[in-house]
């Protein structure tokens, strides 16, 4: 179990290698990577990620702990960036490692669903002469509710 | 009671500051919102629709009816959009 | 859509970066990595991966095409290795890229479920003085059947 | 009819070869299995329980009842265990 909230980019391959290293019981690693998406077809200058230092780490740790209690996980990793990111840049990742693929898949989806609704991050899109806070989605609440 | 009150994202932008110290006798989060809204229009604008404002007391998500008790830090922000 | 059947190892981070490169519409990338797992707690010397050249590529291409028809995928990638692998080594990966995380997750699970039952690979475990062909699992057929 | 017949994994190990050319008039896959099993014991051993043997004709998974038609390649192997 490990969490990082950072402005720096991350290396997905290295993170997965570190997760699995030395544990011969891991048969499956599932990762999710969130990327800055330009829904306007080219007008996005950057995506600003704001968060609530202190609460962020605490919220992510609780979500990770809940996943660990529910599925057979050998290891997990959450990294979320903040600051100004460009289109295509990596925003965040989760990785789950398990003996079995079903656990790894479900735990990764669970982590993502809870992270979306419970971790205090906010996205602001910067355009040439305007800015827009990204709206939260009703879908995200529904996705989270399926686990309860 | 002395509280650190924090604002994030568009709540912060509407109120114009990220953090302030507030002296209050508010019993619940809802009382605090009422008190701040009565103070200046910028608070009223930020808090006009509390269905789209989330609250954390001492860094834990709570509802508007939560008593402040011995809270040290209250934060207001929009629904999260990370990931 | 891209498939490789190879003896060489692969670099997950580089594969994901290549998948997302230059496509600003990708918001989500899900990957699955299968690793050689030692269920005996240290006795496994190596895992031998055999496949059916020709049919393998064809089967994987069909599975990938089926996923592409069913979900909104911007890109996908399947790599499966053959030959002798050690405990902890990467056996295979799938990656799915989509505007939305739900599509990426479901398509990755679908690819894995079909790959398990329809792609002609066989695993043989080598121990000090014995070998064992890995048994297929009834679970795997059940996992595949949920998509139909 | 001339067929390339391929064997994989433990089917290959039981029969002892990976590939052979077979001249046959078998109409279906099941007929071919019967014909090979009658030939030598190693085939009979490999094919004794056809519920755990899968068949591909020209690299497409098929059932035992599939007619061979103008097939060029038939392969026998255990259920797959990739991934």
């Amino acid at each position: 179990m490990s969490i990082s909230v950072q402005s720096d980019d991350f290396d997905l391959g290295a993170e997965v290698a570190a997760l699995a290293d030395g544990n011969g019981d891991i048969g499956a690693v599932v990762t999710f990577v969130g990327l800055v998406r330009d829904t306007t077809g080219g007008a996005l200058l950057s995506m600003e990620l704001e968060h609530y230092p202190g609460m962020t780490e605490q919220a992510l740790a609780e979500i990770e702990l809940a996943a660990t209690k529910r599925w057979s996980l050998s290891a997990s990793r959450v990294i979320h960036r903040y600051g100004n990111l460009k289109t295509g840049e990596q925003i965040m990742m989760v990785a789950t490692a398990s003996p079995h693929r079903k656990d790894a898949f479900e735990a990764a989806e669970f982590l993502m669903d809870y992270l979306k609704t419970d971790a205090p991050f906010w996205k602001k899109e910067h355009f040439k002469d305007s800015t827009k806070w990204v709206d939260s989605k009703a879908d995200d609440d529904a996705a989270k509710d399926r686990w309860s | 009671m002395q509280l650190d009150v924090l604002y994030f994202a568009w709540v912060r932008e509407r109120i114009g500051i990220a953090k302030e110290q507030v002296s209050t006798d508010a019993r619940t989060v809802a009382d605090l919102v009422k008190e701040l809204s009565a103070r200046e229009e910028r608070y009223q604008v930020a808090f006009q629709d509390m269905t789209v404002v989330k609250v954390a007391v001492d860094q834990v998500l709570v509802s508007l009816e939560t008593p402040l008790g011995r809270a040290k830090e209250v934060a207001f922000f929009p629904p999260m959009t990370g990931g």
Side-chain angles (χ1 to χ4, degrees), chain A residues 19-67:
Chain A
L19 206 64
D21 193 35
N23 186 341
D25 194 40
I26 294 176
V29 178
V30 169
T31 73
F32 176 93
V33 178
L35 304 170
V36 177
R37 187 179 157 223
D38 182 357
T39 56
T40 62
L44 185 74
L45 296 181
S46 73
M47 176 88 82
E48 186 186 339
L49 267 289
E50 180 177 342
H51 79 116
Y52 181 172
M55 179 171 168
T56 310
E57 292 79 358
Q58 200 172 307
L60 292 175
E62 270 170 35
I63 296 165
E64 211 178 30
L65 185 64

Side-chain angles (χ1 to χ4, degrees), chain A residues 50-55 58 80 92 115-124 133-136, chain B residues 6-10 12-13 54 56 58-61 73-75 77-83:
Chain A
E50 180 177 342
H51 79 116
Y52 181 172
M55 179 171 168
Q58 200 172 307
H80 206 300
M92 51 79 62
L115 186 151
K116 284 266 177 190
T117 58
D118 289 14
F121 289 97
W122 301 275
K123 288 188 185 119
K124 188 181 191 176
W133 288 98
V134 171
D135 276 331
S136 69
Chain B
L6 281 64
Y7 310 107
F8 292 96
W10 57 251
R12 173 178 49 72
E13 290 181 340
K54 291 191 171 275
D58 290 337
Q59 307 192 350
V60 174
L61 279 177
E73 184 173 303
V74 177
F77 43 77
M80 288 81 139
T81 54

Side-chain angles (χ1 to χ4, degrees), chain B residues 17-72:
Chain B
I17 49 171
K19 187 175 177 174
E20 62 183 322
Q21 279 228 323
V22 173
S23 290
T24 178
D25 295 319
R27 204 185 60 81
T28 65
V29 173
D31 291 343
L32 178 63
V33 169
K34 216 175 292 178
E35 193 177 306
L36 291 169
S37 297
R39 226 211 258 177
E40 280 183 61
E41 204 186 349
R42 57 198 172 105
Y43 293 97
Q44 205 182 315
V45 169
F47 295 145
Q48 64 190 344
D49 179 3
M50 287 304 289
T51 64
V52 291
V53 177
K54 291 191 171 275
V55 190
V57 169
D58 290 337
Q59 307 192 350
V60 174
L61 279 177
V62 299
S63 71
L64 278 177
E65 287 67 44
T66 304
L68 289 172
R70 292 164 175 273
K72 290 186 171 162

Side-chain angles (χ1 to χ4, degrees), chain A residues 58-115:
Chain A
Q58 200 172 307
L60 292 175
E62 270 170 35
I63 296 165
E64 211 178 30
L65 185 64
T68 306
K69 285 183 177 166
R70 190 153 173 171
W71 287 280
S72 169
L73 293 185
S74 310
S76 61
R77 181 87 172 103
V78 179
I79 302 177
H80 206 300
R81 298 175 68 192
Y82 57 84
N84 274 289
L85 307 177
K86 300 255 172 280
T87 301
E89 273 200 77
Q90 301 185 125
I91 300 171
M92 51 79 62
M93 65 164 279
V94 305
T96 52
S98 172
H100 307 290
R101 79 180 186 283
K102 190 168 180 291
D103 287 72
F105 267 118
E106 286 190 5
E109 288 196 73
F110 174 92
L111 286 176
M112 282 309 303
D113 288 346
Y114 273 79
L115 186 151

